[in-house]
Every structure is written in C-alpha cells, then in structure tokens.
Amino acid sequence: MNKLKIGIIGLGTVGSGVYKTLKNFDNVEIIKIAVKNLNKKRSVEVPSSMLTDNPYEIVNDPSIDVVVELIGGVEPAYSYLETAIKNGKHIVTANKELLAKRGEEIFNLAEKYNRVILYEAAIAGGIPIIMPVKTILAGNKINKIHAILNGTTNYILTKMDTEGASYEAVLKEAQELGYAETDPTGDVEGFDAAYKITTLATIAFKKKIKFENVYREGITKIRKEDMKEANEFGYKIKLIATASIDENDNADVRVHPMLISKDTTLAHIDYVTNAVELNGFPIGKVVLSGPGAGEFPTASSVVGDILAIAAEFGKSDYILPMMRCNHSTKANPVKIEDTYNKYYISITAPNAIGIIAKIGTICANKNISLSSILQRGVSKDNTADIIVITEKCQEKLLREAVEELKDCTVNSIIRVAD
Ligand SMILES: NC(=O)c1ccc[n+]([C@@H]2O[C@H](COP(=O)([O-])OP(=O)(O)OC[C@H]3O[C@@H](n4cnc5c(N)ncnc54)[C@H](OP(=O)(O)O)[C@@H]3O)[C@@H](O)[C@H]2O)c1
C-alpha cells in the first residue's frame, strides 16, 4: 500500500492527540515532527530520530506529501505553510488565527499551486462543521449563524449562572483547573471566537469576510447581577458569535455577549461544550454541538482531514474540489452602529419621582420602544435599580439615548437575541 507521508509541525496539546490517534491507521506514515524545544518532556513517546527543531526540514522534504501545522499564531506558521505549498504539499491546519488574518492569501496560494488546505479543527474543535457546510449542505443558501465557539468563556458564564459567582472568582477557578490560560485575553475578550466566525462566515456565505470588520466584545463586564436578571426575564447570557448576510451581500459579523431565550438550544449549551446553529434554505435550522477543544476532540478533526487527503491522494491531479476555498466576491461589512438589536439595560437611578417616565421619554425620543421596564425597589442609599428591555432599535440611537441618561449609572448594556 502506498502510504500518505506526513510531517507535523507542533507536538503540543493537539499534536500529541494527532500522533496518538494516527497510530491506529496504517495508510498514513509520519516522517518527521517539528517542535520548538527538543528537550521538553512530552506526554507522547516519539523516537528522537523523528523530531527536529527546524520546520524547514519538513516543508522542504520532497518525500512529504502533507504538512500538518499545529503550532498556532500567524508567524512563523504562515511562512512555513507558504514554503510547503510552493513545494507541492497539501496542508492540514488547526490555526484559526492564521486563517482569520491571512486565510485569503493562503487559500489563493494553494489554488495557484493546485493544493488543498483542510482546517476542520480550526473552527469548533471536534465538531464537524467545515466539511458538512462545504459538502452535504452545499445546496443551501446559508444566511444566518449563531454559535458558541469558545469553551473557556462558556465555562465561565455557565459557572456564574449556576453558582451566582462573580466573573473574577470564576475566572480564577477556571485558571486553576486549566480551563483558562494565565493570560486569558484571547478567550475572554472574544478574539478566539472572532477568528473562528470570520472563517466560518466566509465559508458559509461564500463571500470574503475580513477579520478587521468583525465587531468584538468580550465577557469581562458581565456581572453576576446581570445573570440573575437575565434568568428572571427568561434568558441565559452566552458569548455568541453571530453572522448574517442579506440579499445585497451586507454581512453583519460579530462576537459579543447576548441574552438568549431559555427556549433555544444554544441557551442549554453549557460549560466547555460548543455549538453552531446554521439557518439556510432549504434546510431551515440545523444545530451541531460537541467538544470545541481539547487534545482528542481536536485530533479527531485533524485526523479526519488527513484521512480525507489520504483517500484521494494520487487518484487525480485535483483532489477534494468541494473543499477548496477561493471566494472571488467580498461581502459588504455592516458597522455595529447601523445594526438593529434588542437591548437589556441595567440602570441605577436616583430615587426621584418620574424617573421611569423620564427613561421612557428619552427612549421614545430616539424611536426606541420598550418591551419591559422594571424597578427593583429602593436601596438604602436612595437609589433604584431599574431593568429595561427594548424592542429592536438602531444601535446608534440606543447609544445616543444612553448618553442622555446623565443622572443615572448605566451598569450594563447587553444585546438580546431575537
Ligand atoms: N488546544 C486545543 O484544544 C485547540 C483546539 C482547536 C484548535 N487549536 C489550535 O491548534 C494549534 C495548536 O494548539 P495547541 O493547543 O496544541 O498548542 P500548544 O500546546 O501550545 O503546542 C504548540 C506546539 O507547537 C510547537 N511550536 C511552537 N512554535 C514552534 C516553532 N516555531 N517551530 C516548531 N514548533 C513550534 C511547540 O513546541 P514545544 O512543545 O517544543 O514547545 C508545541 O509542541 C493552534 O493553532 C490552536 O489555536 C487548539
């Protein structure tokens, strides 16, 4: 049997899982693995002759058919892949940041050299999403995506919800348990989810989406009081990656916390589980959920991609045509100020006669209808906590209305899903 010969760059969490899983397949042979530190103690036993600290030994090796990139970050990963493609290698990668920031360039290069890039693991870890969208869902016009794409933030929000704990307390615990990094910025500020939705929206809408145009807001300002209020109004708070496109190719792609109705599937996706809800024609709504990260779930996707190439390799000059990505047209980005949303607003106001009427008037003057307004008694310091939930209104007008609430403290503004 002609074995597919692969080189792996990176033997960390994902690389180790891939190495262990690939042992079960005799149609793939690992030729070399590049790491940064040859002396590091690892969870896998790899023959030392197989290891190198020079990835160019892999990308320039004529015997290697496929380069599997599992180091992350834009550089030097981009340069390694560029050389590999120019040397005729197919690519498998789990690198969401690289795809979000330089996907267009790397896909165009792959087309030019007639190579395929597969990246199932980069979007939702173990959840199959790219291959389904590009193959069995190809007959659909997908126009809306709602997704939970980051396990760390979903874990933190679930714990805040179930235990009534503060963001800071849960983050600390998540860091101790290894669910959050020492520097959690990439997760809690929404970068990770924004990388993923950039590529997923590009694939699903078949239009170029630029990462710079994706609006992003993290979870660091969510208060335990917001969790409690959301529950009382019939919602959960989740970090949602959302994308929609209209008939004129205006694409609204963003990541931010959202109140989502307890009646939806996504409201019940808890802890580190991820989920993607796609809406399209003719399928309607479809939800895929599962483990969005971790050694073995991510390895499942990487190995699936490697085996897809192995099954086709050598059979034709142009393998896996449905998995190719070079979108010629761009979507028009929609600015967040121009979007229409419902909002949850928590306000602490002076306990003055007519304060509710005043809030109502300020909103009415900006064409904002209120769906609920509720005062939670009066505090000892003679202030009142008021919760407002609006109907759909323009973000720009909502911001102007909030500016006019000068006598009040606005504790939180969180968008509410339809
Ligand atoms: N972890 C997950 O659950 C998960 C899920 C989905 C996608 N991903 C993506 O998968 C990729 C890998 O993530 P990971 O969690 O496995 O990372 P990781 O545990 O930090 O491992 C990174 C590996 O890359 C090696 N490396 C880093 N820079 C290198 C360089 N310049 N040359 C050679 N080797 C280098 C490191 O070598 P040393 O071991 O010698 O330090 C390490 O083995 C990233 O793109 C990540 O976003 C991860």
Side-chain angles (χ1 to χ4, degrees):
M1 191 205 302
N2 247 350
K3 292 186 179 199
L4 184 79
K5 302 207 169 38
I6 70 166
I8 302 176
I9 310 178
L11 190 61
T13 306
V14 182
S16 303
V18 168
Y19 184 84
K20 291 172 198 167
T21 310
L22 271 179
K23 281 191 161 177
N24 305 324
F25 297 90
D26 56 10
N27 57 339
V28 177
E29 181 183 353
I30 302 172
I31 302 293
K32 237 179 185 25
I33 303 175
V35 293
K36 202 167 194 177
N37 177 0
L38 286 170
N39 301 317
K40 196 172 184 177
K41 205 168 159 21
R42 301 186 183 275
S43 70
V44 273
E45 265 188 45
V46 177
S48 59
S49 59
M50 201 183 257
L51 290 177
T52 173
D53 58 5
N54 179 8
Y56 283 102
E57 279 185 27
I58 290 176
V59 296
N60 287 326
D61 181 339
S63 74
I64 288 176
D65 307 311
V66 176
V67 169
V68 182
E69 183 273 306
L70 302 171
I71 63 176
V74 175
E75 281 295 355
Y78 184 88
S79 299
Y80 297 150
L81 294 191
E82 183 181 32
T83 308
I85 292 168
K86 287 181 176 171
N87 284 335
K89 306 194 190 307
H90 298 291
I91 306 295
V92 174
T93 177
N95 193 333
K96 50 218 154 190
E97 184 177 356
L98 173 72
L99 293 174
K101 293 183 176 168
R102 298 191 69 182
E104 191 179 338
E105 284 165 81
I106 204 84
F107 286 127
N108 285 343
L109 191 72
E111 273 312 293
K112 185 172 167 197
Y113 285 84
N114 185 19
R115 299 295 105 177
V116 73
I117 303 182
L118 299 184
Y119 46 94
E120 190 63 69
I123 309 304
I127 305 175
I129 184 71
I130 297 301
M131 219 172 261
V133 166
K134 286 207 148 275
T135 58
I136 200 67
L137 294 172
N140 283 270
K141 180 153 178 49
I142 296 171
N143 56 18
K144 195 168 178 187
I145 305 168
H146 265 318
I148 294 173
L149 293 176
N150 183 269
T152 302
T153 46
N154 206 43
Y155 175 88
I156 293 172
L157 293 175
T158 306
K159 283 282 217 179
M160 286 175 69
D161 182 44
T162 54
E163 296 175 6
S166 70
Y167 165 78
E168 290 76 15
V170 179
L171 172 64
K172 190 166 173 286
E173 187 202 316
Q175 285 171 319
E176 280 160 13
L177 290 170
Y179 289 139
E181 311 251 351
T182 318
D183 175 3
T185 312
D187 293 317
V188 300
E189 295 293 358
F191 287 98
D192 177 79
Y195 296 146
K196 294 166 174 172
I197 195 71
T198 302
T199 303
L200 180 56
T202 299
I203 302 313
F205 300 158
K206 303 183 181 83
K207 300 274 176 235
K208 288 179 206 163
I209 308 281
K210 285 199 171 294
F211 174 68
E212 306 86 85
N213 294 327
V214 175
Y215 177 80
R216 179 189 50 75
E217 214 179 279
I219 63 161
T220 54
K221 294 188 187 130
I222 302 291
R223 306 167 315 140
K224 58 183 179 185
E225 293 82 358
D226 299 322
M227 285 286 176
K228 193 164 167 276
E229 292 293 354
N231 264 293
E232 301 218 350
F233 280 91
Y235 297 98
K236 296 282 174 193
I237 300 177
K238 299 282 182 190
L239 183 70
I240 300 291
T242 170
S244 59
I245 191 159
D246 67 15
E247 56 286 358
N248 299 315
D249 293 343
N250 299 310
D252 172 12
V253 187
R254 37 184 158 130
V255 172
H256 53 63
M258 266 188 145
L259 268 71
I260 56 171
S261 165
K262 286 181 192 172
D263 295 339
T264 61
T265 310
L266 288 198
H268 302 281
I269 301 297
D270 287 333
Y271 297 101
V272 294
T273 304
N274 282 197
V276 182
E277 178 191 296
L278 302 171
N279 293 271
F281 181 81
I283 190 147
K285 185 186 287 184
V286 61
V287 184
L288 297 102
S289 73
E295 177 179 2
F296 287 111
T298 313
S300 160
S301 292
V302 173
V303 170
D305 281 345
I306 295 169
L307 296 177
I309 296 175
E312 299 273 315
F313 193 75
K315 292 191 181 147
S316 86
D317 284 346
Y318 194 71
I319 67 164
L320 295 162
M322 288 185 90
M323 297 306 297
R324 306 281 173 130
C325 304
N326 64 331
H327 305 295
S328 49
T329 50
K330 284 193 174 71
N332 315 311
V334 177
K335 290 203 181 96
I336 191 74
E337 298 79 26
D338 298 331
T339 62
Y340 285 77
N341 307 278
K342 294 180 182 174
Y343 298 85
Y344 153 97
I345 310 167
S346 160
I347 300 166
T348 302
N351 179 35
I353 290 172
I355 188 69
I356 297 264
K358 190 177 169 189
I359 294 170
T361 306
I362 289 172
C363 289
N365 289 343
K366 296 289 174 189
N367 216 12
I368 300 168
S369 298
L370 304 185
S371 115
S372 308
I373 182 158
L374 181 72
Q375 180 173 340
R376 296 252 181 241
V378 177
S379 303
K380 282 189 193 128
D381 60 358
N382 209 28
T383 59
D385 286 330
I386 297 167
I387 302 297
V388 174
I389 298 189
T390 73
E391 291 292 343
K392 248 184 175 183
C393 61
Q394 197 186 31
E395 173 116 357
K396 184 170 164 288
L397 293 178
L398 188 279
R399 290 184 188 182
E400 287 174 10
V402 168
E403 279 287 303
E404 288 187 25
L405 293 170
K406 290 189 194 78
D407 318 343
C408 308
T409 305
V410 177
N411 304 308
S412 312
I413 306 174
I414 308 172
R415 297 173 191 85
V416 181
D418 285 343

